[in-house]
Each structure stands twice: as C-alpha cells, then as structure tokens.
Amino acid sequence: MAVKLVTTVQELHSEGARLLAAKRGTSQGLVPTMGALHEGHAALARAAVEQNDVVVATIFVNPLQFGDALDLDRYPRTLEADLALLDREGVDLVFAPSVDEVYPGGEPLVRVTSGRLGEKWEGASRPGHFDGALTVVAKLLHYGLPAAGLAAGGGTGGGLPAYRAYFGQKDAQQLALVRRMVADLNFPVEVVGVPTVRAADGLALSSRNRFLSPEEREGALVLSRALRLLEERAHAREPLDLESAQALVESQPLVALDYFDVVDPATLEPLAENCRETPFRGEGLALIAAKVGPVRLIDNMPLSS
Ligand code: PAF
C-alpha cells in the first residue's frame, strides 16, 4: 500500500513537508473524514488528487460533535478498509490521531460557535453538533496547513503551496458553515464542495445507510424522489409546489419527515416566495431530513433555473 498512515501532529507535519519537497509540490489538499468511508468520500479524495500535488486525508471520530455517547460508541470504525479506499484513490498521507492527540487537555474550553446558521435545520435537532464539528474542522485545517510542515524544515523552493479542503455537498449545512468560518475567521484555505454521490436507485450515500433494513432502504428512496421532483420543476421554470412534494414524502409510512424546505444556498434562509405558486427563478437548495425507521437521514438538491 502506497498511502502512509501517521497518528501524531508532528509526523503529519514532517511527512507532509517531505512529500511536498519530494514532489516539488505547489499545492496540498486536505480531506477531513470520520472514517467508515464510502464512494462519497472516494469522490472527495478523487477531486483532491486531481487538483493537488499532495493529498492528506484525516480520519477522526470527533467526540465533540456527538450529542449522545451511545451514538459515538456505535459509530463504525473501519480503518483497514478506509486505508484501502484512500490508497486506491491516490491519497498520499492519512492522519488518524487519537482523541488525546487532538484534545490533549481534554475537551477544549474555547470552541468555534456556529451562531444562527448552526441552530436551524440539523442544528435544531442536534444542539451543539455544529459547534463541535467546526471546532475540529478548525483544528484539522490548522494541522494540515502546508506552511506548518514547511516551517518544520521542508520546502518547495518557491512560495507557499496552495491549500484546499474538500467537503461533501451532501452535508450542505456543514459545508455552508465551513465556508462561513473560513471567510469570517480568515483561514488561508480554499473550501471545495463536492457533489453528492448517489446509489443507482437515487439514495444519497451515507455511512448511516448500513443501519437501514431492506424495507426501510426502499422507503428512504422517497427522499431523493421528492428532491428530483423539485429539481425537474425548477429546471422547467414551473412553480415548485413544495406542498405536493412534502405530501409525497409523508405518504411513505416508514418515513417520519422532520423538515423539507427550499433555502438560499449560502444563508440557508427559506425562499418561501419561490416555492409555491410562482415559477421558480434563480438559485436555491432543497433540504430534507427524515427518520426512516430508527435512522435519521438528510439529503439535499441544488435547484437552478
Ligand atoms: O463530515 C464529517 O465527516 C465530519 O463532520 C468532519 C467534517 C470530518 C468533522 O469531524
């Protein structure tokens, strides 16, 4: 296997700098993950490998973003398979630290707060989730800074390498929040959003899909069907008629709808006027969340006309 695994920040910096120097690299990509990788993560890695000379993926199940200790324990850990997938995609280096390595003083006292944007939609049913996710993303973006390794003795011979970080469009609220954090707090990194990968039947890939029974999986397809309906109407510049799409989801007995709305892609504020009787114009994002049996699923669809 060509991909190299490191577990400490020091190794990450020295190995990252070595790779940049060896490849005379002018760009570094970072792919933050929590492991349990699937083809959606493979698409992130592939985009990073296409666009950068050196690619680092991180695998860290971040306790700070789990409300429930049981959920944290149950989160699948599949390091060997994850390494094989990242190796197949051409990732150079994997940083898989322990909890103590990331939080050496225990839980951090000072955290990133996600503000209003983190309180709605997913944030409403998972209080504190986005503060925990942004806090670890901030740390991972700092750990992955190519300059950190170069300062420790590496070098490309030129200016600072470009630095890009890759996040899935599937977690649209997380992506919007990471973009805002990077802009609001001046992180020297370009955030790249990668389109959602779907199974042939339309279900968005997620590490949670493995917990669906065959019947629940079949029932879950109504989420992507309803989103596609809105996408088609937006394309055809028809009224979105969100209510009829909501009714379609609610007609599926195994699905308990949490929210389904059309929002501004950056602010995630509802685009109420655009969703009902008037023909859809411009850009929007349809967001949906539902419990399918015991499994909470989220999905979304960019809309444009
Ligand atoms: O999307 C995820 O897998 C996680 O929220 C992330 C970005 C790796 C932070 O823990």
Side-chain angles (χ1 to χ4, degrees):
M1 211 182 270
V3 71
K4 183 163 175 154
L5 173 66
V6 294
T7 57
T8 67
V9 175
Q10 203 180 359
E11 288 171 306
L12 170 66
H13 288 165
S14 57
E15 196 51 31
R18 191 192 64 73
L19 282 163
L20 274 170
K23 294 188 170 195
R24 298 204 147 275
T26 59
S27 53
Q28 181 161 311
L30 186 81
V31 183
T33 80
M34 297 208 300
L37 304 184
H38 49 66
E39 288 305 308
H41 298 102
L44 300 183
R46 212 169 299 137
V49 168
E50 268 166 30
Q51 294 169 11
N52 300 279
D53 297 323
V54 172
V55 174
V56 178
T58 68
I59 298 178
F60 179 62
V61 183
N62 173 35
L64 242 53
Q65 68 190 79
F66 287 82
D68 182 340
L70 210 63
D71 270 0
L72 175 62
D73 284 350
R74 268 202 300 244
Y75 195 86
R77 270 92 168 163
T78 57
L79 185 63
E80 284 310 309
D82 295 347
L83 289 175
L85 180 144
L86 294 168
D87 185 58
R88 183 193 82 193
E89 295 303 334
V91 168
D92 299 289
L93 188 57
V94 175
F95 176 51
S98 65
V99 173
D100 285 346
E101 182 71 13
V102 176
Y103 301 117
E107 285 206 356
L109 187 61
V110 176
R111 303 175 187 212
V112 178
T113 49
S114 52
R116 264 182 298 130
L117 189 50
E119 282 163 14
K120 53 185 130 191
W121 310 121
E122 280 312 278
S125 54
R126 304 175 72 188
H129 166 71
F130 287 118
D131 291 0
L134 286 185
T135 300
V136 84
V137 169
K139 288 175 73 89
L140 295 171
L141 290 175
H142 286 135
Y143 293 147
L145 264 173
L150 296 178
T156 58
L160 279 182
Y163 184 31
R164 304 184 183 95
Y166 295 78
F167 295 87
Q169 173 66 39
K170 160 80 173 36
D171 292 308
Q173 191 171 5
Q174 172 173 274
L175 175 59
L177 279 161
V178 170
R179 287 193 195 284
R180 277 310 293 254
M181 175 178 76
V182 162
D184 289 351
L185 304 181
N186 305 88
F187 282 49
V189 63
E190 179 192 339
V191 175
V192 183
V194 177
T196 302
V197 179
R198 296 179 181 280
D201 57 12
L203 187 69
L205 298 194
S206 161
S207 39
R208 294 182 182 192
N209 293 352
R210 70 186 73 194
F211 301 122
L212 295 168
S213 69
E215 298 73 33
E216 288 161 354
R217 199 185 179 293
E218 185 60 34
L221 295 181
V222 77
L223 272 61
S224 52
R225 274 194 209 119
L227 289 170
R228 285 247 184 269
L229 200 61
L230 294 189
E231 187 190 34
E232 282 162 20
R233 289 176 184 163
H235 239 120
R237 296 183 160 215
E238 288 171 4
L240 292 184
D241 189 8
L242 184 58
E243 280 81 2
S244 72
Q246 282 165 343
L248 172 70
V249 178
E250 279 161 349
S251 70
Q252 167 51 252
L254 293 176
V255 175
L257 186 60
D258 180 355
Y259 58 79
F260 187 13
D261 215 329
V262 178
V263 301
D264 177 284
T267 64
L268 305 189
E269 289 297 334
L271 294 179
E273 287 315 307
N274 229 340
C275 311
R276 301 172 203 282
E277 287 90 27
T278 52
F280 183 80
R281 286 279 183 280
E283 304 289 319
L285 181 67
L287 294 178
I288 192 165
K291 260 192 133 178
V292 185
V295 187
R296 185 182 167 80
L297 295 180
I298 58 171
D299 198 354
N300 66 82
M301 184 71 72
L303 304 177
S304 65
S305 73

